Amino acid sequence: MTRGPLITLAAIAVVLALTTAIVATSNGEGRPVSEGSAQGSNTVATGPIVAFYGDSYTLGIGASDKSKRWSTLICGERNWREVNPSVNGLGFVNNRSVAIDEPGEVIAARPDIVFITMGLNDNFSYDRAATEIHRRIDVDFSRLKGALPAARFIAVEPFWYTDERPESLGVISGWVKSAASDIGADFVPGASHWIQHHPEWMATDRLHPNNKGYAEMTRRMNAELKKLDL
C-alpha cells in the first residue's frame, strides 16, 4: 500500500475517534447528571437525583453559562444529580401549552428531591387570572406529591427582579407557601428580595441575574438549605 492511502486511513481513524468521544460525553438537558459537575471536569455526580420545576431564573437565563446558574452550583457542591427542565417565561398559568408539561418531566426523572421555584411570571397575568393561578398552584403541588410520595419537596418563594414589588407578588407567594404546607414541603421564604437594590447583579436585559446575581442567589440558597440540613 502506498504512503497516500496510509495517511488517508489514519485521518479517517482520528475523525471517527473524535466523533465517538463527543457523543459519549454529551449530556441531554433532562438526564439525571449534574451539569455543574460535568462541565469543566471529568467528575460525574453520584448523589441523589434533584429535579427543578422552575422558570428562567432556574433555567439560568442571563448567566454566561449554565454552569453558573444557582441550581447547578448547589448541585455541584453537594454531588447531586441535576434534572432541570425549567422553561423561560413559564408560570403556573403563563406560557402553558399541551407541549409544555414541566411537572411531567420532573415526575419522569423519579427524583429524590424536588425544588419548586415558580410564580414570578404569573404576576403579569394576576389581574385577569388570579383564581386560575391559585387553582393551578394547588393542582401542580398535589400532582407532584401524588406521583412522588417519597420525594422531599422544597418550595421557594417566587423570585423577583425589580425593587418595586406588585401587591400580587405577596398574594402569590402566600398561595405557594400554603400549597407547600398542604403537601408537607419545606418552604424557603424571602427569595423575592435576594437580588433587589443591586443593579450590578443584573444582566444587560435588566430582567435576569448575571453571573454575580446567580452567585448571590446560590449563597442565599445555600444558607437556607443548611437550615434544612441539606
Side-chain angles (χ1 to χ4, degrees), residues 95-114:
N95 199 28
R96 304 305 284 249
S97 71
V98 293
I100 299 177
D101 183 16
E102 196 174 315
E105 292 185 65
V106 168
I107 291 167
R110 312 307 300 174
D112 303 290
I113 301 171
V114 178

Side-chain angles (χ1 to χ4, degrees), residues 60-154:
I61 298 296
S64 62
D65 186 85
K66 287 182 179 179
S67 65
K68 302 295 184 181
R69 63 189 179 186
W70 69 267
S71 62
T72 300
L73 290 170
I74 66 167
C75 284
E77 292 173 7
R78 290 168 172 78
N79 192 36
W80 287 349
R81 290 176 285 169
E82 180 182 9
V83 176
N84 190 341
S86 296
V87 174
N88 189 16
L90 193 68
F92 289 106
V93 300
N94 275 42
N95 199 28
R96 304 305 284 249
S97 71
V98 293
I100 299 177
D101 183 16
E102 196 174 315
E105 292 185 65
V106 168
I107 291 167
R110 312 307 300 174
D112 303 290
I113 301 171
V114 178
F115 281 79
I116 302 175
T117 60
M118 293 280 289
L120 186 160
N121 292 297
D122 294 296
N123 287 277
F124 308 121
S125 300
Y126 181 82
D127 289 345
R128 62 173 176 79
T131 300
E132 181 63 9
I133 293 167
H134 193 182
R135 187 186 75 84
R136 288 302 312 179
I137 290 171
D138 290 338
V139 167
D140 282 357
F141 274 68
S142 296
R143 177 188 176 192
L144 287 163
K145 180 64 175 180
L148 301 168
R152 182 170 183 177
F153 286 86
I154 301 166

Side-chain angles (χ1 to χ4, degrees), residues 38-52:
Q39 292 184 12
S41 75
N42 293 322
T43 302
V44 176
T46 57
I49 297 173
V50 180
F52 294 83

